[in-house]
């Protein structure tokens, strides 16, 4: 018996140490993998937003260059129909990105106002095209031009900054966030919201 006791206790200690080490290292590895995947998703969302912002600017510039008769876009034969399609597609993709953010992050009231402002800014191009009017943002000091630049930069920072917590909001909180982002109040306040970041 003394031989079994002298070998058994150290053997159990080694087995417990190896098992505990394996368990701890697996949990740490899993945690880091989750953080890495979340970070990749955040950066992909930031890249998507920046691509959509580029599309927004391209449509705006194309539309302003095409607008010669100031006639509303009412048919597919109109020279601005392609711009309207592109603006509408970008607006839909922004809406989807806002839904994603509402579901994945805890947002402050300032975040909600900023994202609601960006969403409204993206609607400006489509509305101008529908009316057949250029945006007329010829100067970087034009309030809407400055506001879209400011809100886009702030949104890029939000998207590329890791969230305060990796926990996700409940469905009820996500729904409230999304309702706040898509609230019509931003139609009249988005330019003022941008002033907070200047």
């Amino acid at each position: 018996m003394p031989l079994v006791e002298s070998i058994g206790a150290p053997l159990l200690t080694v087995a417990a140490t190896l098992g505990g080490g394996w368990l701890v290292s697996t949990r740490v590895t899993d945690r880091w993998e989750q953080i890495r995947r979340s970070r990749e998703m955040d950066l992909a969302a930031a890249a998507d937003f920046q691509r959509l912002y580029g599309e927004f600017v391209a449509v705006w510039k194309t539309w302003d260059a095409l607008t010669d008769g100031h006639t509303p876009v009412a048919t597919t034969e109109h020279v601005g129909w392609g711009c309207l399609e592109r603006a509408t597609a970008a607006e839909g993709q922004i809406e989807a990105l806002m839904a994603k953010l509402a579901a994945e992050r805890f947002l402050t009231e300032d975040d909600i106002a900023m994202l609601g402002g960006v969403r409204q800014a993206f609607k400006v191009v489509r509305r101008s095209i529908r009316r057949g009017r250029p945006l007329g943002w010829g100067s970087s000091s034009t309030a809407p031009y400055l506001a879209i630049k400011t809100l886009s930069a702030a949104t890029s920072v939000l998207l590329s900054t890791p969230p305060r917590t990796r926990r996700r909001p409940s469905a009820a909180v996500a729904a409230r966030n999304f309702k706040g982002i898509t609230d019509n109040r931003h139609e009249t306040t988005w330019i003022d919201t941008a002033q907070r970041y200047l």
Side-chain angles (χ1 to χ4, degrees):
M1 267 326 234
L3 182 62
V4 171
E5 288 177 12
S6 67
I7 295 174
L11 193 56
L12 284 174
T13 303
V14 168
T17 302
L18 289 173
W22 174 81
L23 183 63
V24 169
S25 67
T26 300
R27 292 185 68 112
V28 168
T29 302
D30 277 352
R31 179 72 179 132
W32 280 111
E33 185 62 23
Q34 288 173 352
I35 290 170
R36 185 187 64 76
R37 279 194 310 262
S38 292
R39 185 69 183 136
E40 286 173 357
M41 288 172 34
D42 291 341
L43 293 174
D48 284 346
F49 175 75
Q50 291 156 358
R51 180 186 53 75
L52 289 169
Y53 176 75
E55 179 68 1
F56 169 86
V57 171
V59 172
W60 150 36
K61 299 288 187 176
T62 302
W63 173 247
D64 275 2
L66 286 175
T67 310
D68 54 3
H70 303 300
T71 59
V73 177
T75 67
T76 56
E77 291 78 31
H78 190 284
V79 69
W81 187 260
C83 286
L84 181 60
E85 287 180 323
R86 289 172 62 197
T88 303
E91 197 177 317
Q93 291 172 25
I94 282 293
E95 189 90 8
L97 182 60
M98 298 302 155
K100 177 180 175 14
L101 288 171
E104 292 182 352
R105 289 181 179 240
F106 284 95
L107 300 172
T108 66
E109 285 303 315
D110 284 344
D111 294 339
I112 289 169
M114 174 188 54
L115 295 171
V118 165
R119 179 178 169 269
Q120 286 303 320
F122 268 72
K123 291 177 177 244
V124 170
V125 172
R126 177 182 51 84
R127 289 176 177 156
S128 289
I129 294 169
R130 290 288 298 159
R131 288 191 302 267
R133 296 191 183 114
L135 271 80
W137 298 348
S139 165
S140 62
S141 62
T142 304
Y145 178 83
L146 185 57
I148 186 61
K149 297 284 186 187
T150 303
L151 291 171
S152 293
T155 300
S156 289
V157 169
L158 174 71
L159 289 168
S160 61
T161 302
R164 294 175 279 286
T165 177
R166 283 294 170 187
R167 288 184 16 240
R168 293 184 183 240
S170 67
V173 170
R176 275 194 305 277
N177 285 346
F178 194 53
K179 183 176 184 265
I181 292 167
T182 59
D183 192 292
N184 288 341
R185 76 177 182 270
H186 301 296
E187 288 180 20
T188 57
T189 63
W190 70 275
I191 293 174
D192 294 333
T193 297
Q195 292 296 315
R196 297 179 198 169
Y197 298 95
L198 295 177

